Amino acid sequence: MTLADDSPRTVTAPAVPVPPDPTPPPVPRRRGPSLSRNRWGYAYVAPFFVVFGAFSLFPFLFTAWVSLHDARLSDIGGGTFVGLDNYAALLTNDFFWNALRNTITIGVLSTVPQLCLALGLAHLLHYKLRGRTFFRTLMLVPYATSIAAATLVFATLFGRDYGIINTALEAVGLDRIDWESGTLSSQVAIAVIVTWRWTGYNALIYLAAMQSIPGELYEAAEMDGASKWRQFLHVTIPSLRPTILFTVVVSTIGAVQLFGEPLLFGGNGATTGGARNQYQTLGLLMYQQGWTNFNIGQAATTAWAMFLIILAVVGSAALVGRYRARREGARR
Amino acid sequence: MTAVLTPPTPARTSGRRPGTKAGRAGPVAYTLLVLAGLLSVFPLYWSLVAGSHTNAEIAATPPPFLPNATFFENVSAAMDQAPLGLAIVNSVVVAGSITVGTVLFCTLAGFAFAKLRFRGSGGLLALVVGTMMVPTQLAVIPLFMMIAELKWVDSLQAVVLPTLVSAFGVFFMRQYLVTALPDELLEAGRVDGASTHRIFFSIVVPVARPAMAVLAMLTFLTAWNEFFWPIIALTAANPTVQVAIANLGSGYVPQRAVIMAGTLLGTLPVLLVFALLGKQIVGGIMAGAVKG
Amino acid sequence: MTVRRRARAAAGATLALALLTTGCGGSDGGDDGDQITLTLGLYGTFGYEEAGLYEEYMDLHPEIRIEQSVVAQSGPYYQALQTRLAAGSGMADIQGIEIGFVSDVAANHADAFVDFAAEDNAEELESSYYDWKWDQASTDDGRVIGLGTDAGPQAMCYRQDLFAQAGLPTDPAAVSALWPTWDDYLATGQQYLASPTRQEGSAFVDSPNSVFAPAVRQGDTTYADEDGNPVVEDSDGVQSAWGLASQAAGDGLTARLAQFSDEWNAAFANGAFATIACPSWMLSYITSQLGDEGAGLWNIATLPGQSESGSTWGGSWLGVPSSGEHVEEATALAEWLTAPEQQVRMFTEQGFFPSSSVAAESPEVADAVSEYFSDAPIGQVFGEAAAAVRRTPISPYDTQIQDAFSAALTTVADGSRDPDQAYADALAAIEQITG
């Protein structure tokens, strides 16, 4: 991992197509003579690492240790050492695979529409608008609403017998849906909650990136006679690609850790994620193992499995990105 | 990981006219935006409606669509059941302290990672980013053991200190400062004979301000809405807003209207901040996102 | 660099520090001169403050100050308590303990609590309780970790108007006579379902759990053997309750609701079902769902199968953590709060049925009548139910096991699983729980 050495025009800088530039622009890095080799660096990161080490790193490593034990919640430090048995058991555990499947489908169902809608919304917000601050602020209201409050309301809206979504479906001549008890329907409902909460936030990130797209690109496209739609497809989207990749990664991390929405969606505090575990995510499974079944060793194992999954997803995204980068580089 | 975040081609920020081609919004755009706006606030509005009606009323067909004065009765019932006033004060203290701490420490560390070269900085940064991916729920047990050891159970520092810094914050500030802060500016400060601290406060902080605003807002919202850890570390006697809300509707009978009313009341301070500071906050996001 | 900026930065840091110190101030309950502050950690089902018991106790004992901290639901409450038990600190002077985890506390944390069997007045305490109540808080080696508060003896509530409409009797004695056994109850359900005059869309019973939860506790074993080890497949209670409940679910007798969900709450007001298993505390639940308009709609009959065995659901204890600073005072308070006189008051003022047989047999309780429930003699109904309860062992996993069955029954009711599949699902889930 080479984070520290990379120049960081992350997120928003337009990737393609940049006007041909024979010499790469100077990258301002590792040049400052007096600020480099600066021992103050340690002092500046020290406050962070003191708190971080005490309150984040220790629990993290402790969890790894617990995952190697057959430990109960009430006696967390006193379980018997079982090596990798918990991990082996996890691989043959139907509940784990079910939760993994659910996490993936809910993740796809929420991330894809969320980011597409955010793009569209950002496009709209990019116009010259009356009350632009008002609209932008409005888009952030869902993010300011707590997961608990949002889920509580949506669970009511998605109610089988008295929810207004079903009332509306019936009014237009469709059948009522038992949202909570169906597999796909419950996952869609949860994805709707996630989408609702994060679309506006992502839209503003995209909007910021759009504003940094150089006007010349659009002018050039217009001269070529490209329609607004084609400009969106061939100028806006490619320019946003790094931002899009970034939001995909961040949403993926969020999706794998999804926990509050499926916990609260059932409305009766059950950690099973529905009667058939139809919307139990990995985060919820871990919670059930640890706090409902008191099997903290199993829960720690699931937590570490989640970590490894995220690592794999982000790692492969990184590889794709690198491959692309190389290809683009070769093209130039 | 970086490859994802870093575009293949370095960009220049000079010589461009960003955003100049945005057209004027037509009626369709306005309609869609108004629709999106309504969708954004609808659940909040619905909790106002649900907070005004009994379970029996809300289950009627068709359901009621307007709030009424019962809402205020339910608000006061909620305030009787849980010390919501104290909870809001506590949450302001907690979220405020976490925000100040996170922004300060993460700016310091982000600056160091971005501009100061020291042995092992690459490895340390990788460590920071790696922990962003760790599910947090499990940490509560060892964390509670520590808090208990320190005799901090039920006191606010138990929820402030563990979240006083964030890996995301460091990474975010670092990414922002690497580009936003030209080395030439630092060199100029150095030539003037300024110490590193002087440079930090007089050069780095002003440049970092937009990103600090974004980080502050994200941190505040996250801290305000956090409930998993506070519910374990605090009791209902000295709660944050989310802990207090979780304790609403006590009894065998869940009084949903009261829960809804209390929930809305607990969201109100955040909405107020949005209404008052909307321009600055959204502006901060813009500035931050452009560079960050 | 401007001085002003720097000053502002400094001010920011000071503010942060100030905020932190404010945070540190806070609640160190402590003693104020000669006064002792006792804290109670409870979840939302006790109602002592509302009944004025704290105030009375503080009047009687001026040196004591009482503070309570209440979590609405017992789930999060027990998570916090477990974390504190694991860490060995942070507990209140008195902690509420619910039926769902009393056995876990007794099996794994008995040492952390005062042993009431070792108190001087242990015999007097024991004799005032129903034997099953005292038993449930006992450990294998005879320690008793908590004093019982309320209990949840069960009856069967029914909607008089819906019964009349469907051509069924409405008088409690006649209704009780319809279902001496659970099979009779299901047969009545079929009759209800088949009635041409039945209110459209109304089901016979709210959920399969209204059959399963009472019936499972009427066998010789529920979820545990004598040693407290979980048994499921070999339990007669489970076998008969599963057969009955899955039949009710499969035959469409239920309104396909998950208990305690929003939909279930709403269904009360809509007359979506005609019967529901009624632990004593369900009365206040129904009352608050329906409000004043519901008065006279419901009545109460005997639980099916009660001649064999009564059944309870719910109930709590008060435990005194032995690590507290004021164990003696806390023990005295816990004993006072759970004494028969106070249990009587909790019934007359808050509707909590006593777990003390002495309290339940007192005239204030035994002769009580509920106007709201069509003048049902609730003292007598629930008193008989409580007296008919048999001692059956409980395990630390009772709640989780029951939730697994309850979830499986929901899938039978909504048609997504047949009973055999659902049973297998439940067993698989239970295997995860009991390890």
Side-chain angles (χ1 to χ4, degrees):
Chain A
M1 198 170 268
T2 51
L3 288 166
D5 295 328
D6 271 298
S7 64
R9 257 141 274 93
T10 53
V11 187
T12 54
V16 192
V18 168
D21 199 345
T23 52
V27 179
R29 63 174 170 183
R30 275 208 222 158
R31 231 195 33 155
S34 45
L35 278 172
S36 57
R37 309 281 158 237
N38 186 321
R39 265 168 297 121
W40 280 111
Y42 296 112
Y44 275 70
V45 298
F48 171 83
F49 275 100
V50 167
V51 181
F52 179 78
F55 296 107
S56 300
L57 201 57
F58 166 70
F60 177 54
L61 297 175
F62 188 90
T63 302
W65 177 241
V66 171
S67 77
L68 303 176
H69 290 75
D70 181 15
R72 312 299 293 176
L73 180 60
S74 52
D75 186 21
I76 190 167
T80 44
F81 185 83
V82 294
L84 294 175
D85 283 6
N86 283 334
Y87 290 89
L90 196 69
L91 292 179
T92 57
N93 187 328
D94 291 343
F95 291 87
F96 172 74
W97 293 109
N98 172 64
L100 180 58
R101 241 185 343 262
N102 291 344
T103 306
I104 292 170
T105 44
I106 296 176
V108 171
L109 284 171
S110 57
T111 306
V112 174
Q114 176 194 131
L115 296 182
C116 293
L117 284 172
L119 261 180
L121 209 54
H123 186 68
L124 293 177
L125 288 168
H126 192 38
Y127 285 121
K128 286 199 182 71
L129 278 176
R130 267 171 208 282
R132 60 162 57 188
T133 304
F134 173 74
F135 278 117
R136 290 174 182 180
T137 309
L138 217 52
M139 299 306 146
L140 266 181
V141 167
Y143 186 70
T145 312
S146 74
I147 292 175
T151 310
L152 204 64
V153 172
F154 273 101
T156 327
L157 300 182
F158 279 110
R160 182 189 74 194
D161 298 333
Y162 314 110
I164 61 170
I165 292 178
N166 271 351
T167 310
L169 285 180
E170 211 173 34
V172 296
L174 295 169
D175 282 339
R176 288 177 167 268
I177 296 175
D178 191 348
W179 292 97
E180 200 267 348
S181 76
T183 304
L184 185 64
S185 60
S186 61
Q187 297 188 357
V188 165
I190 288 168
V192 165
I193 305 175
V194 177
T195 304
W196 176 78
R197 210 161 163 265
W198 288 93
T199 298
Y201 175 82
N202 283 309
L204 292 191
I205 299 277
Y206 287 147
L207 174 59
M210 283 180 184
Q211 290 179 329
S212 74
I213 299 173
E216 300 94 81
L217 293 181
Y218 289 103
E219 281 161 18
E222 207 151 279
M223 276 197 281
D224 292 347
S227 67
K228 285 276 182 212
W229 175 242
R230 294 191 69 83
Q231 288 179 27
F232 181 72
L233 281 187
H234 296 291
V235 179
T236 311
I237 300 276
S239 307
L240 288 181
R241 193 188 289 152
T243 317
I244 293 173
L245 262 173
F246 176 79
T247 53
V248 166
V249 170
V250 170
S251 320
T252 303
I253 293 179
V256 174
Q257 297 184 356
L258 190 68
F259 159 73
E261 290 89 346
L263 172 66
L264 298 167
F265 184 65
N268 55 0
T271 51
T272 53
R276 287 177 293 113
N277 311 102
Q278 66 268 31
Y279 52 92
Q280 185 172 52
T281 56
L282 285 171
L284 191 54
L285 174 69
M286 183 203 77
Y287 185 68
Q288 182 190 25
Q289 290 170 333
W291 278 266
T292 305
N293 301 349
F294 311 144
N295 195 335
I296 202 77
Q298 223 178 32
T301 308
T302 307
W304 267 80
M306 289 166 67
F307 174 56
L308 296 174
I309 288 168
I310 301 175
L311 212 59
V313 170
V314 173
S316 47
L319 282 182
V320 170
R322 191 164 298 171
Y323 169 73
R324 280 233 164 117
R326 205 174 296 149
R327 216 179 45 182
E328 310 270 338
R331 236 201 283 167
R332 286 201 299 132
Chain B
M1 162 110 218
T2 9
V4 180
L5 304 175
T6 314
T9 334
R12 281 185 316 187
T13 38
S14 59
R16 297 220 178 107
R17 292 179 292 139
T20 42
K21 279 313 283 182
R24 197 164 281 286
V28 180
Y30 275 109
T31 314
L32 288 173
L33 280 173
V34 167
L35 206 66
L38 287 177
L39 277 174
S40 293
V41 296
F42 180 76
L44 281 180
Y45 176 74
W46 185 251
S47 56
L48 185 65
V49 174
S52 307
H53 296 273
T54 63
N55 282 352
E57 286 164 359
I58 208 82
T61 331
F65 279 104
L66 291 174
N68 60 40
T70 322
F71 181 77
F72 297 103
E73 284 170 36
N74 287 326
V75 166
S76 77
M79 298 192 66
D80 281 346
Q81 286 179 13
L84 279 174
L86 171 69
I88 288 174
V89 172
N90 277 347
S91 274
V92 169
V93 171
V94 167
S97 307
I98 291 175
T99 303
V100 172
T102 301
V103 170
L104 181 71
F105 295 148
C106 292
T107 307
L108 281 170
F111 164 62
F113 280 128
K115 293 294 169 182
L116 304 180
R117 296 290 145 190
F118 52 98
R119 196 183 291 273
S121 64
L124 286 176
L125 184 60
L127 181 70
V128 170
V129 175
T131 58
M132 279 168 63
M133 304 172 199
V134 182
T136 50
Q137 285 99 353
L138 256 211
V140 300
I141 303 257
L143 205 50
F144 189 85
M145 289 160 67
M146 294 171 61
I147 297 296
E149 202 61 38
L150 294 164
K151 305 249 178 278
W152 286 355
V153 174
D154 291 349
S155 56
L156 295 187
Q157 67 264 35
V159 289
V160 171
L161 279 172
T163 25
L164 201 54
V165 298
S166 87
F168 172 82
V170 171
F171 187 46
F172 181 81
M173 291 309 300
R174 185 261 174 196
Q175 296 297 77
Y176 178 81
L177 285 173
V178 170
T179 31
L181 188 63
D183 284 2
E184 292 77 14
L185 204 56
L186 296 177
E187 284 313 313
R190 179 60 64 168
V191 168
D192 287 351
S195 70
T196 306
H197 301 303
R198 216 182 140 86
I199 289 177
F200 178 76
F201 283 108
S202 60
I203 299 176
V204 178
V205 168
V207 171
R209 186 164 300 148
M212 289 166 84
V214 178
L215 184 59
M217 186 209 63
L218 294 182
T219 307
F220 191 88
L221 287 179
T222 310
W224 187 273
N225 287 330
E226 173 67 33
F227 75 98
F228 192 77
W229 169 241
I231 232 171
I232 286 177
L234 301 178
T235 56
N238 191 30
T240 59
V241 166
Q242 302 304 328
V243 175
I245 288 173
N247 293 337
L248 283 178
S250 290
Y252 280 119
V253 189
Q255 298 154 291
R256 194 180 51 193
V258 175
I259 298 174
M260 288 286 192
T263 305
L264 196 56
L265 190 69
T267 316
L268 220 55
V270 185
L271 295 181
L272 217 64
V273 169
F274 263 105
L276 296 177
L277 301 176
K279 199 157 196 163
Q280 283 83 339
I281 290 171
V282 176
I285 287 196
M286 298 292 98
V290 169
K291 307 273 172 53
Chain C
M1 160 95 185
T2 67
V3 178
R4 223 179 42 201
R5 270 214 180 117
R6 184 185 217 165
R8 215 189 285 165
T14 320
L15 175 68
L17 212 66
L19 289 171
L20 284 173
T21 9
T22 324
C24 301
S27 62
D28 51 331
D31 305 343
D32 183 18
D34 294 336
Q35 261 211 337
I36 292 172
T37 302
L38 295 178
T39 53
L40 286 93
L42 307 173
Y43 40 87
T45 55
F46 284 85
Y48 289 137
E49 182 147 55
E50 294 80 351
L53 292 190
Y54 295 150
E55 218 164 291
E56 185 175 335
Y57 193 80
M58 288 189 276
D59 286 345
L60 292 170
H61 304 270
E63 77 282 6
I64 304 279
R65 208 155 59 88
I66 301 175
E67 281 173 8
Q68 72 168 8
S69 164
V70 185
V71 178
Q73 285 172 357
S74 60
Y77 167 84
Y78 191 48
Q79 281 155 27
L81 181 61
Q82 278 232 311
T83 320
R84 282 152 201 242
L85 282 166
S89 70
M91 277 174 284
D93 293 309
I94 296 177
Q95 294 280 173
I97 300 170
E98 204 215 12
I99 178 80
F101 46 86
V102 68
S103 164
D104 183 43
V105 174
N108 298 316
H109 304 290
D111 295 345
F113 288 92
V114 165
D115 174 16
F116 289 101
E119 292 288 295
D120 293 340
N121 55 348
E123 264 178 48
E124 185 194 333
L125 290 173
E126 182 173 359
S127 66
S128 75
Y129 281 102
Y130 286 112
D131 56 357
W132 45 266
K133 184 75 181 184
W134 185 261
D135 220 35
Q136 286 171 336
S138 305
T139 66
D140 291 341
D141 56 357
R143 295 173 66 101
V144 172
I145 51 108
L147 292 176
T149 59
D150 62 330
Q154 306 206 64
M156 185 62 74
C157 292
Y158 63 97
R159 279 278 292 253
Q160 294 192 123
D161 54 337
L162 296 184
F163 266 44
Q165 207 177 331
L168 292 170
T170 57
D171 173 65
V175 171
S176 299
L178 285 175
W179 52 59
T181 69
W182 281 103
D183 285 324
D184 299 324
Y185 173 81
L186 295 187
T188 312
Q190 292 294 357
Q191 207 181 326
Y192 183 86
L193 203 62
S195 162
T197 54
R198 162 177 69 104
Q199 174 169 309
E200 203 188 332
S202 80
F204 181 60
V205 58
D206 68 316
S207 68
N209 210 39
S210 261
V211 177
F212 189 85
V216 74
R217 298 212 172 267
Q218 288 171 305
D220 292 324
T221 50
T222 306
Y223 306 119
D225 64 16
E226 281 301 333
D227 303 324
N229 298 317
V231 287
V232 176
E233 282 181 277
D234 300 329
S235 156
D236 65 329
V238 169
Q239 292 309 321
S240 95
W242 176 266
L244 294 162
S246 61
Q247 192 188 334
D251 289 354
L253 296 183
T254 77
R256 301 187 294 122
L257 293 160
Q259 290 191 326
F260 305 102
S261 65
D262 265 355
E263 293 282 296
W264 185 71
N265 288 334
F268 277 96
N270 289 278
F273 49 84
T275 65
I276 181 172
C278 258
S280 46
W281 44 262
M282 190 67 82
L283 301 191
S284 27
Y285 203 104
I286 294 176
T287 311
S288 76
Q289 290 304 329
L290 290 175
D292 295 339
E293 289 149 39
L297 286 179
W298 288 86
N299 207 326
I300 307 169
T302 311
L303 190 73
Q306 185 166 300
S307 57
E308 293 289 318
S309 170
S311 183
T312 63
W313 183 3
S316 296
W317 287 261
L318 293 182
V320 177
S322 41
S323 58
E325 271 179 60
H326 308 292
V327 173
E328 201 177 312
E329 291 83 358
T331 307
L333 174 59
E335 286 183 12
W336 187 83
L337 285 170
T338 54
E341 304 80 55
Q342 276 62 250
Q343 290 210 16
V344 169
R345 272 183 59 188
M346 289 307 293
F347 176 77
T348 53
E349 290 177 30
Q350 300 283 313
F352 293 98
F353 196 82
S355 60
S356 150
S357 49
V358 174
E361 283 152 19
S362 76
E364 293 103 308
V365 177
D367 300 339
V369 167
S370 168
E371 206 178 310
Y372 191 94
F373 285 84
S374 315
D375 293 324
I378 50 175
Q380 184 202 333
V381 171
F382 290 116
E384 283 171 7
V389 171
R390 289 191 289 172
R391 300 160 72 136
T392 52
I394 56 177
S395 87
Y397 303 107
D398 278 19
T399 310
Q400 294 88 323
I401 295 174
Q402 180 145 328
D403 286 349
F405 279 120
S406 173
L409 286 166
T410 308
T411 65
V412 178
D414 70 22
S416 61
R417 285 281 193 275
D418 70 40
D420 290 343
Q421 279 175 325
Y423 188 70
D425 286 351
L427 290 186
I430 289 164
E431 203 198 312
Q432 296 291 307
I433 296 159
T434 57

